[in-house]
Amino acid sequence: MERSKETLLDMYEKMYKIRLFEDNAVKLFNQGLVRGPMHVYTGEEAVAVGACSNLNNDDLITSTHRGHGHCIAKGGLVDKMAAELLAKGTGYCKGKGGSMHIADPDIGILGANGIVGAGLPIAAGSALSSKMRGTDQVTICFFGDGATNEGSFHEALNMAAIWDLPVVFVCENNLYGLTGPADEMLSVKDVASRAASYDIPGVIVDGNDVLDVYETVGEAVKRARNGGGPSLIEAKTYRIKGHFVGDPCVYRDEEEVEKWKKRCPIKNYKNYLIETAGFTSEELAEIEEKVENEVEAAVKFAKESPDPELEVVFEDVFSK
Amino acid sequence: MERSKETLLDMYEKMYKIRLFEDNAVKLFNQGLVRGPMHVYTGEEAVAVGACSNLNNDDLITSTHRGHGHCIAKGGLVDKMAAELLAKGTGYCKGKGGSMHIADPDIGILGANGIVGAGLPIAAGSALSSKMRGTDQVTICFFGDGATNEGSFHEALNMAAIWDLPVVFVCENNLYGLTGPADEMLSVKDVASRAASYDIPGVIVDGNDVLDVYETVGEAVKRARNGGGPSLIEAKTYRIKGHFVGDPCVYRDEEEVEKWKKRCPIKNYKNYLIETAGFTSEELAEIEEKVENEVEAAVKFAKESPDPELEVVFEDVFSK
Amino acid sequence: MRTITVKDALKEAIIEEMDRDENVFVMGEDIAEHGGIYGVTAGLLDKYGKERIRNTPISESALIGSALGAAITGMRPIAELMYIDFTTVAMDQIVNQAAKMRYMFGGKVDVPLVIRTQGGGGRGSAAQHSQSLEAWFMHVPGLKVVMPSTPYDAKGLLKTAIRDDNPVMFIEQKMAYGFKGEVPEEEYLIPFGQADIKREGSDVTLVANSYLLPKALKAAEMMEKEEGIKVEVIDPLTLVPFDEETIIKSVSKTGRLIVVHEAVKRGGFGAEIAAKIFESDAFYYLDAPLQRVAGLDVPTPYNEKLENFAMPDLEDIKEAIKKTCYL
Amino acid sequence: MRTITVKDALKEAIIEEMDRDENVFVMGEDIAEHGGIYGVTAGLLDKYGKERIRNTPISESALIGSALGAAITGMRPIAELMYIDFTTVAMDQIVNQAAKMRYMFGGKVDVPLVIRTQGGGGRGSAAQHSQSLEAWFMHVPGLKVVMPSTPYDAKGLLKTAIRDDNPVMFIEQKMAYGFKGEVPEEEYLIPFGQADIKREGSDVTLVANSYLLPKALKAAEMMEKEEGIKVEVIDPLTLVPFDEETIIKSVSKTGRLIVVHEAVKRGGFGAEIAAKIFESDAFYYLDAPLQRVAGLDVPTPYNEKLENFAMPDLEDIKEAIKKTCYL
Ligand SMILES: Cc1ncc(C[n+]2csc(CCOP(=O)(O)OP(=O)(O)O)c2C)c(N)n1
Ligand SMILES: Cc1ncc(C[n+]2csc(CCOP(=O)(O)OP(=O)(O)O)c2C)c(N)n1
Ligand SMILES: [Mg+2]
Ligand SMILES: [Mg+2]
C-alpha cells in the first residue's frame, strides 16, 4: 500500500480538522447557535479519514446523522459546513438542511442522512450507476453498528453482492446505537461476520488506527474498482461524546469513556508520525496551526454570514 | 425422535390432503370461481407437514401468500378454506380474505399474508408473547427464499436471536421468488448460511423428505420450547406448479420441472411407509379415500354456501 | 387541581394501565435507561424491569411487527416509534398488517396495539424529523388516530387507547410535551370520537388540535378582544373516529370554518374536515369560504426563521379569522 | 388513428425514452423475462438486455433506494414497484429520501426518478393488493403524482415523467391496462399540471381520473340523455402539480362539484380538491353541497359483490349527479 508523505500528512490534517471542527460545533451548539439534534464524531476520526483517503475526487460516499467527519474526510469545506450548522444562506444547503443533511454532490458527498440505515441502498445505487456508466468510481458507504439491524442494511448488501457493485460498506461500530449497546442489540459479536450472509469479504479493523483503516479499506476499494464487488469492513471504535450533544449518557459509565479516551486516534497517530514515520513536531504543528486558522475562519465566516432570505423556503422543492 | 404410527399416518394424510386440496383449488380457479392471485403449494407438502407435525394445538404459525399447505398442516379445516376461496360467508374470513388471508387464530394459524416477508416480525412477536406470558408455546414462521431478501427477514431474525425467542424460521427454498431464481437473487448459495448473521443454528433439510423435515424442525422446536432460542431451517424444495395459477413460467424449463416431479414428496413417503415402515397399501388407500371424501365434501360445502350479506362489508373494520 | 405536563400525563397513563393489566408493556428504541427520546418513559425501567420496558434494536419493522404479533396473542403492547417520520420504515406492518388484519380475517382477531409516536416541527430537526403525517393514517381504514393537546386529554386518551382492542396511532407533538395543565388525581378516561369544544363562540368555527390548539385559543381570545369576534374552538381529539356532528353543528351555527393544522396543507386533515362540511347540511349555512391555516407545501427547513415561516403561527390564525369575517 | 391499450402505450413510452437516452433504464421485480406482473415491460429484455431491464431481488427499500442513488449520479431510472401496496416497504426511500433530497441539500441535486406502480381493486386481490394510495404521496412535498386513464394520456405523461428531473409517482390502475384508445404514431408529450376537460358541460363539474374516468364519462353521457344534465368531466392528469385553475373555473360556471375516486373516501384526494374549491372564489358560485363518490372506508374485501360494493361504480356516479342537481 502506497503511503506517501503527502498522504500521511493529509490524513493527519483531516483528522485534526475533524476534531477541531467538532469541538467548535459543540461550542456553537452550547451557545445556542445550532438547532435540532447534532451528533459529533469525536473519537472516530480515524475511520472516515482512513477510509476516504483511498478515494478520488469523483468517488462517492454516503453518510449518516453523524456526518461531519465523513464530509471533511471526503474534502468538504469547513466554512460551508459551519455556515450550514448556523443555518446560514452560505451553508452547504442554504441553511435548509443543517447538521444531518450536509451534502456536496460535486465532490461525491451524497449527503448526511437523518434516517438510520437509509444510506445503504442509496450507496448501492450510486455504485450501480458508476458501473452502468462505465466509470471506475467507487462508493464508500458509512453507517453505524445500530444501522446493521435495519432491514435496509440487509437489502442493500444483498443487492450489492449479487450485482458485484463497486461499493465498500464501512460500519463504524462505536459500541452503541443511540443508547442501545451493540452487544445487546446485535445478535453477533462482530458486524463483520454478517458478511457471510452475502458471500463477501468481512473484515475487522481497529477504527482508532487510521493506518489500519486506510490499508484495509484501500484493499476493498481496489477490489471494488477492479470489478471485484463489495466488501463489509467493521471499524471498532468509540464515540467519546454522547450520542447527541447534550446526551446525559445514562447508559454507559465514565470508566469506559476514559479507557477509550486514552486510545485517541489522533494522539496515537501523531506519535506514530513523529516516532516511526520520521516527521517533526514542527511539521505537525504547522499543520495544526493551518487547520486552526481554517476552522477559526470558518466559524467566523459562518457567524458573519446572513440568514437565507425568506423566499428560499419555496425554492428547491422541485428542480426547474 | 418419536415416530408413532399415528404421527406417520397423520403426516401422510395431511400431505395427501394438501395435494388434493390444491388440485381442487386449481380446478376451481380455472372454473373462474376463485378470484385474485392464487398460489398453490403442490410439491412442497413435506415442508409444512413435517414442520407442523411437531406442534401442539396451541402452538402458532405464520404463513405466506402460498399458505394453503401451512393451514392444512396446522389443522385448518378444508371446508372453511374452500369456502373462503369461493368467497363465501362460511369461509374462514367470511369471504373477505381469500386465498392470501386465510387464518384461524383459535388453532394458532396467524394468517396467510400477501406481503412477502411480513410474517417474520409477526412471528417474532407471537414468540415474544408466549415468552412473556410464560407459556411453552412455539411459533413456526414459514417464508420463501425470495423473502430472505426482504429487510423484515433480517430485522426479525436479529430480534428473535437477541431475545432468545421460541420461534423456528422455516425457509421454503423452492428455487424461485416470483420469477427470480434464488441463485441470481440471493448472494449466498444456502439460505441456511444466513443464520451466521444471527448466531443461531442454520440447518438445511431435504424439503421433499417429510421425515427429514419432521426431525430437524423437531429438534429446533424442542430447543425453542426449552428456552434455547430460535433457529433457521432451510428446506430445499420446488414448486411444481407456476408461481400463481396461470403463470406461463417463462423463466424456467420443463426439464427442471420434470426432474422435480420425480422427487414427489408424497409418492416417496408412500413408498417409505409401505416398504420400510411396514404399512399396507390398504391402510394408505383408506386414508386416501377418507381425504378424498373430505375434500370433495369441502368443495361441495363451499359451492353450496351462500355469499356473505352485503352488510358484512362494514363489519370487522374495528373490534367492538 | 394539580398542574402537570403532557409528558408526565402520558407517563401516568402508562403507569396506571401497566399496574392495572400485566399484559400491557412498552417496547421501543431507547425507552429504557434513556426513558425515550422525549423522556415519556423515564423511570419506568426501575419500576417494571427490562421485560416490560423493553428496548428494541433499531429495527422499526420488527418493532411494530413484533408488537402486532404480541397483540394478537394475548399481550397489549405500547410500541414507541421515536419519530413519526420513522413510520416510513414500518409502514407495511402498520398499514397492511395491523390495520387490516381483523378485517381480512373476518373478525377473528383483536389487535390491541398502541403505537405512540411524535411529530411536528419547531426544534430545527429539519425535513426528516419534523413531519406531521396523521393524514396518512386517517386514510387507512382499521386504524384509530389520536392527537392530544392538553395534559388532561393526553392522559385520558392514552388510557383509552391502551384499553382499545384496535390499533391506535397515538400522535404526540415534540413541542407540546412541556404543555402544562390541570389533571385530576382520580382516574378518568376520555372516549374516542367525541370532539371537545375548547371555547364556545357564535361567529366562527375553528378546528385545531395538538401543538396548535393553544395558539388557536390565544388567537380566539385576542380576536374577541380586538374585534369582538366570537370564535368557537373545537379540538376533535381523535381524527378516527371523527366527531362530525359537533363540527357540523358548530358550522351550521357560525357559517364560517377555519381548520388549523401543522401538517402541510395539501392533503392534510383540514381538507377532509372541509370536505365533510362541504358535503353536509352545514353547507347551506356557510357565509364565507374555507380558511385553512396549515404548513407550507415544502419539506421542513432547518433554519429557524424559515421553519417558523413554514409552520402556521398565531398571526396566521388571526389573519384567517379576520379573513373569514371579511375584515 | 390507431388504437392501442394503456399497457402498450406505456411500453411505447418506455421504449421511446430508452432509445432517446441511454441513461434511462428499468428496474424492478420480475420485469425482465416475465415482463412485469401486468406485462408492461414484456419484450423489453430482448431489446435492451439484462443491464437496462434489470430484475431486482424482493427488496423494495433497496429497489427504490438504489434507483435513487443511481438517479442522483447520472442515471434516469424507472423503478417498477409491483403494487402500490408495497410502497409501504419502501416508504422511507420515497418520502424521506427521494422527495426531500433536493430541498434538504439546498438544490444541489436533481432526482430524475420515476416510480411506476399500480393500485386499485376490481380483481379480487383483497386488502393488501388493492389499495389506492395516491393521497399519501400528494401530501409529501417534493413528489409529483401522476395518474393517467387513457392510453394517450398514459404515454404522453410517462414520457414527460421520464424527462422530469424530479421524483415522480406514476400510478397506474390494474383494471385500466386494457383500456383502449387512439394514440398517434408521432411523438408527443403531455405537460404536467394541466387538467384535461374530457367532456364539456355547464351544469355540473365532475372530477375523475384513472380507472373511474370512463365510468364518469359514461355517467355524464347517460345523465345528459336521461335528464338533460350537462356534466363537465375533468381529469386532472396530475395531482401534483395540480391544475386548480381549470377546476375553479369550471365550478364557477356550474356551481356544482362532484369528485370521483377509487381510494377510500376519508382522506382521499377528493377531500383536497373539495377544500381547494371551498377556499377559492368558486365558493361564491356554489349551488349545492359537495358530492364525493369514493371507496367505502373499509379494507378491500375479497368477495366480488363486496368488493364491487366497496368500490364506486356507474350507479354511484349517476346518483351523485342527480343529487347535486337536487333530482
Ligand atoms: C430509522 C431510524 N430509526 C431511529 C432513528 C433515531 N436514531 C438516530 S441515530 C440512532 C442511533 C444510530 O446508531 P448507529 O447506527 O450505531 O450510529 P451512531 O449514532 O452510533 O454513529 C438512532 C436510533 C433514526 N434516525 N432513524
Ligand atoms: C413486499 C412484497 N413484494 C413483492 C410481492 C410480490 N410477490 C408475491 S409472492 C412473490 C415471490 C415470493 O417468493 P418466495 O418468498 O420465494 O416465496 P414462493 O412464492 O416461492 O413460495 C412476490 C415477489 C409481495 N407480495 N410483497
Ligand atoms: Mg453506533
Ligand atoms: Mg420461492
Side-chain angles (χ1 to χ4, degrees), chain A residues 124 155-165, chain D residues 27 56-57 59 62-63 66:
Chain A
E155 295 190 8
L157 266 75
N158 181 64
M159 183 176 269
I162 61 171
W163 292 344
D164 282 328
L165 299 180
Chain D
M27 62 194 298
T56 63
S59 311
L63 163 59
S66 66

Side-chain angles (χ1 to χ4, degrees), chain A residues 145 174 176-177:
Chain A
D145 49 290
N174 59 12
Y176 294 91

Side-chain angles (χ1 to χ4, degrees), chain C residues 194-229:
Chain C
Q194 289 183 20
D196 188 15
I197 300 176
K198 295 288 185 187
R199 176 192 175 95
E200 302 211 352
S202 50
D203 299 329
V204 176
T205 300
L206 190 157
V207 181
N209 69 0
S210 189
Y211 175 58
L212 293 174
L213 177 69
K215 288 195 203 292
L217 286 168
K218 179 84 188 160
E221 195 188 302
M222 291 172 77
M223 292 316 290
E224 172 142 21
K225 270 202 206 112
E226 292 171 22
E227 309 278 353
I229 304 172

